[in-house]
Amino acid sequence: MNTSGLELWRWRQQAAIDAIAADVSPTELDWLLQEVAGLDTLSLRLELYKHQPQIQLKLPLAELDRLWQRRLQERLPVQYIAQITPWRDFKLAVSPAVLIPRPETEILIDLAVAAVNKSFVTGLERGHWVDLGTGSGAIAIGLAAVFPAAEVHAVDRSSSALVIAQSNAQNLGYGDRLKFYLGNWWEPLEFLQGQVCGMVSNPPYIPSKLVPQLQPEVANHEPHSALDGGADGLDCIRHLIATAPNFLRSGGLWLIEMMGGQAETVSELLQQQGSYMNIQIFADLAGIERFALAYRQ
C-alpha cells in the first residue's frame, strides 16, 4: 500500500493538529508512523520523507486515518492501531484480545533473575518456568530470553490471546522454547506438580468497581478479563497463593505484579498460607509497591 511522501506529509500535518485539539500527544503520531511507514525519527523531524515519490505503508492511508480518528474520538490505544508494542528488547504483536504489556512489567524479568541468583538452591534457571495468564506472551518470552536453558510453559484461558502469544514466540525465535496451554491458571499443568522452579504472573488485580473508572484507553478497549480481580482486586492473587505450593519445588519462586496499595495484604496472605518464606515486596520505577516475591519452603 503505497502513498507519496507529500500526501503522507499533508496527512501528518492535519493529524497532528487534530491530536493537539483532542489532547493526545503528537509524539504518538510519529511513533505510529515509524511503525506503519518505516520512517525514522530524523526523517520525521526534518520532514525528509516529504520528497519521497513513494512510501510503503502497512495499511492504506484512508484506513490509517480512520484508526487515528478512533484514537482521538474513542481513545483507541495507539498500540492497537500499529498492532505492535515495544517491550524489553522485543517488538510484540498486540490486539484488543490481549492487554498491552506495560513498561513496569518488564521489571518482573529482572526480579526473577536476581531471585534465582539469591536462591538457596542451585539450577533454578535450568528448570521449568511458568507464566500464568500469558496474554501477548511477554513474560514467557522475557523468561526464555534470560534463562536460555529453561523450559517455559505459558497458560491463558483465551484462545485468541494464545494465538498472538504463539505468533510472538515464533516471530522472535522462541517458538521451540515455549509451550502454550489453553486453560485456567495451573489446570493444564497437573503434570508439573512439585517440579516448577518459578511461577511469574501479571494477574488481573484491579477491583471490579474501579475497572470502569480507568482511563478510557484501558476501560473501553483492553480486555476486562485481564484487568478485573474481583471485589477487592485480589481474587486471582489469592488463588495463585493457594495453588502454587502444589507445583513449586523447594526454593522455587512465586513472583507477581500487583496494584499499589495491595502489598501489605498480599504479604499477609503469603505468610498465612504457610508454605512460603523470604517474602519480599519491590517497587516499580515510580516508587509504587508493585511486585511480590516469595520462595517455596
Side-chain angles (χ1 to χ4, degrees), residues 3-183:
T3 188
S4 72
L6 184 60
E7 193 178 10
L8 188 63
W9 176 81
R10 286 188 184 125
W11 179 80
R12 179 185 174 225
Q13 297 295 103
Q14 187 59 50
I17 292 166
D18 294 344
I20 292 163
D23 202 24
V24 169
S25 171
T27 58
E28 283 194 18
L29 180 61
D30 283 358
W31 177 80
L32 180 61
L33 287 174
Q34 288 177 56
E35 294 301 333
V36 303
L39 299 174
D40 58 43
T41 49
L42 189 64
S43 180
L44 286 162
R45 195 182 313 130
L46 302 180
E47 300 185 342
L48 304 175
Y49 67 94
K50 182 179 177 180
H51 308 293
Q52 289 178 224
Q54 281 201 327
I55 293 173
Q56 179 86 29
L57 297 178
K58 287 183 182 175
L59 70 172
L61 188 57
E63 175 68 2
L64 180 62
D65 183 58
R66 187 186 71 80
L67 290 168
W68 184 247
Q69 292 307 316
R70 286 191 63 201
R71 169 77 193 105
L72 305 183
Q73 293 158 23
E74 302 172 29
R75 288 314 201 242
L76 177 71
V78 69
Q79 295 93 333
Y80 288 158
I81 301 175
Q83 299 184 346
I84 206 159
T85 194
W87 196 81
R88 286 185 74 85
D89 301 330
F90 315 116
K91 279 191 176 179
L92 297 170
V94 291
S95 86
V98 298
L99 201 69
I100 298 164
R102 306 303 202 260
E104 58 267 25
T105 305
E106 297 179 11
I107 299 170
L108 278 173
I109 308 301
D110 301 316
L111 290 174
V113 172
V116 163
N117 293 336
K118 291 175 185 168
S119 175
F120 64 89
V121 295
T122 57
L124 291 180
E125 72 281 1
R126 295 190 297 274
H128 295 285
W129 282 75
V130 171
D131 171 16
L132 298 180
T134 193
S136 65
I139 290 171
I141 293 166
L143 291 171
V146 294
F147 299 137
E151 195 167 323
V152 183
H153 308 267
V155 179
D156 206 287
R157 64 181 181 184
S158 162
S159 55
S160 46
L162 282 178
V163 169
I164 289 171
Q166 287 175 299
S167 169
N168 279 326
Q170 204 67 46
N171 292 339
L172 292 165
Y174 295 98
D176 298 339
R177 297 271 322 282
L178 298 177
K179 294 182 179 174
F180 293 93
Y181 307 83
L182 180 63

Side-chain angles (χ1 to χ4, degrees), residues 260-288:
Q262 293 177 337
E264 192 177 336
T265 307
V266 171
S267 296
E268 286 172 8
L269 290 167
L270 285 163
Q271 198 73 49
Q272 290 163 10
Q273 203 283 331
S275 302
Y276 300 98
M277 60 182 179
N278 200 6
I279 298 159
Q280 299 164 64
I281 301 298
F282 296 91
D284 62 16
L285 296 176
I288 297 165

Side-chain angles (χ1 to χ4, degrees), residues 197-256:
C197 294
M199 178 215 85
V200 186
S201 182
N202 179 15
Y205 53 68
I206 309 291
S208 302
K209 67 176 184 295
L210 295 185
V211 173
Q213 299 171 31
L214 296 170
Q215 62 188 99
E217 284 85 347
V218 180
N220 298 342
H221 298 284
E222 298 201 62
H224 282 199
S225 59
L227 298 165
D228 191 333
D232 63 356
L234 293 169
D235 284 3
C236 300
I237 293 173
R238 278 193 194 88
H239 178 76
L240 294 176
I241 289 171
T243 52
N246 296 327
F247 293 87
L248 292 172
R249 56 166 289 187
S250 178
L253 270 67
W254 186 95
L255 175 61
I256 61 133

